[in-house]
Amino acid sequence: METLAVTIDPALDLFEEIERLKRELNAVILAHFYQNSDIQDIADFVEDSLGLARRAEGTEAEVIVFCGVHFMAETAKILNPEKPVLLPDLAAGCSLSDSCPPEQFAKFKAAHPNHLVVSYINCSAGIKALSDIIVTSTNAEKIVRQIPEDQPIIFAPDKNLGGHINRVTGRQMLLWNGTCIVHEQFSERKLRQLKVRHPNAPILAHPECEEPVLRLADHIGSTSSILRASIEMDADEFIVVTEPGLIHQMERASPGKRFIMAPPDHGCACNECPHMRLNTLEKLYLCMRDRTPELMMDRELLARARRPIDRMLEMS
Ligand code: 13P
Ligand code: SF4
């Protein structure tokens, strides 16, 4: 923060400056729902992982500014190899993606040669290159249902999303043992206690949560589907079991409704994604002003990682 304070003139209106740079660069700003509210407010599109991939694929802008985490920016680059992709903070990674190193996964895959590899988009380009189809939490069920029942599947890297898809489809996909540090924090015990105090509040949960938490949910879905449920369900208050950044859009869409965050296991703010929250309005301004950091990727890896993403876009 100190470095930023020195670099940025405090008299600057960062919103105005970012708008000006957007025109100057002919840039589009894509942001995930877990970004800070000010970033969501200045972005051109605020969506879930699938929505952002689609926006990246269809954009006519010359520069993509990606406010999310590394694997999402990689997906935008894979879909636009010729365009610069700028990120506010190159260090914004993902615990789920990190839980599946490509070298180890390649061995796991080799040990199960007759399996189709379906990977959650929350993985590195190296894992995407080893996959047959990519899915997001929005389309995972739909895509898995299109795969013949006698085809064995490896699902990576999220064992919670994979387990959820196994339960709803009746499949027995082989699951890689990865988790999201944010969603595994939610406590079943504390969620039950919260529900006692708010008996009429539906529980909306992301499928990256553990099974005991998901069992309590009235609606399980991706960030965009949780947002939609909060608009469509007839209730005055909701219990939200995902990263709290999403509440900004829920409150905008339904100003009269109340959104209560589910508590994590400890008394910390650890349901905020530490990776997503590395991005700030200041860093967004600086990355556009200085055209850096820019995501650089190996061309051959880009091409190999693109096939399973194209397959996802065809099947979803
Ligand atoms: P979705 O927005 O696709 O539901 O993904 C959630 C997430 O954890 C992104 O990191
Ligand atoms: Fe990764 Fe979890 Fe953060 Fe999403 S919320 S970016 S899955 S660590």
Side-chain angles (χ1 to χ4, degrees):
M1 269 321 274
E2 265 174 41
T3 329
L4 292 178
V6 173
T7 321
I8 300 177
D9 176 354
L12 278 184
D13 180 333
L14 290 184
F15 282 91
E16 254 176 39
E17 285 300 304
I18 291 169
E19 289 294 352
R20 180 183 62 74
L21 287 165
K22 205 162 73 178
R23 289 191 296 276
E24 199 177 295
L25 295 172
N26 186 13
V28 64
I29 302 178
L30 304 180
H32 188 263
F33 288 124
Y34 297 164
Q35 292 295 282
N36 296 330
S37 317
D38 48 10
I39 293 184
Q40 294 192 35
D41 289 343
I42 194 115
D44 294 296
F45 300 102
V46 186
E47 304 204 16
D48 70 3
S49 311
L50 180 62
L52 292 172
R54 285 208 172 111
R55 293 290 178 194
E57 190 200 20
T59 188
E60 288 183 0
E62 287 170 55
V63 175
I64 297 172
V65 182
F66 207 104
C67 301
V69 288
H70 197 270
F71 75 80
M72 295 180 169
E74 275 188 344
T75 305
K77 182 74 182 172
I78 290 164
L79 291 165
N80 291 278
E82 307 307 330
K83 291 186 183 173
V85 175
L86 303 176
L87 302 81
D89 193 324
L90 204 53
C94 167
S95 69
L96 189 47
S97 176
D98 291 346
S99 70
C100 195
E103 314 73 48
Q104 284 178 32
F105 186 70
K107 287 186 194 147
F108 182 72
K109 182 181 164 180
H112 303 93
N114 57 341
H115 286 59
L116 195 80
V117 178
V118 176
S119 296
Y120 188 29
I121 198 163
N122 298 29
C123 64
S124 64
I127 295 296
K128 289 187 173 79
L130 291 166
S131 304
D132 296 297
I133 312 173
I134 295 302
V135 298
T136 74
S137 44
T138 292
N139 58 24
E141 181 183 341
K142 184 175 178 190
I143 289 179
V144 168
R145 285 192 189 279
Q146 291 173 59
I147 299 169
E149 275 178 30
D150 57 354
Q151 170 63 59
I153 301 173
I154 289 174
F155 187 89
D158 187 9
K159 70 170 180 190
N160 290 324
L161 173 64
H164 169 67
I165 300 299
N166 274 347
R167 289 189 293 278
V168 294
T169 62
R171 302 287 298 225
Q172 291 194 320
M173 300 188 295
L174 200 54
L175 308 178
W176 181 263
N177 190 20
T179 54
C180 158
I181 46 162
V182 175
H183 288 88
E184 71 179 356
Q185 292 289 340
F186 292 108
S187 150
E188 179 205 5
R189 186 178 54 83
K190 290 192 177 174
L191 188 55
R192 280 186 193 279
Q193 289 167 352
L194 192 62
K195 182 71 182 179
V196 171
R197 283 189 278 129
H198 302 275
N200 298 322
I203 296 177
L204 312 177
H206 196 280
E208 287 173 21
C209 297
E210 291 175 339
E211 188 188 356
V213 167
L214 293 180
R215 263 194 253 121
L216 300 178
D218 299 286
H219 176 87
I220 301 171
S222 61
T223 48
S224 58
S225 110
I226 290 178
L227 174 59
R228 210 167 36 250
S230 74
I231 297 168
E232 290 171 0
M233 286 173 93
D234 185 19
D236 297 331
E237 52 179 20
F238 294 84
I239 297 173
V240 181
V241 201
T242 190
E243 215 273 2
L246 181 59
I247 291 182
H248 184 54
Q249 297 299 326
M250 296 166 109
E251 287 177 339
R252 277 175 69 161
S254 310
K257 295 183 178 178
R258 182 172 174 226
F259 300 101
I260 306 155
M261 259 320 288
D265 222 355
H266 320 283
C268 59
C270 34
N271 48 16
E272 281 193 359
C273 174
H275 309 291
M276 289 275 183
R277 303 295 180 134
L278 279 179
N279 297 328
T280 60
L281 197 66
E282 288 78 7
K283 290 182 193 170
L284 171 59
Y285 162 69
L286 288 176
C287 88
M288 294 176 77
R289 186 193 72 180
D290 302 339
R291 322 295 199 249
T292 188
E294 180 183 344
L295 184 71
M296 296 297 180
M297 288 179 70
D298 176 77
R299 289 231 149 224
E300 197 250 340
L301 179 62
L302 272 173
R304 284 192 296 128
R306 177 155 190 155
R307 283 176 302 106
I309 297 176
D310 282 342
R311 239 176 132 190
M312 167 185 83
L313 294 171
E314 285 155 27
M315 291 173 83
S316 58

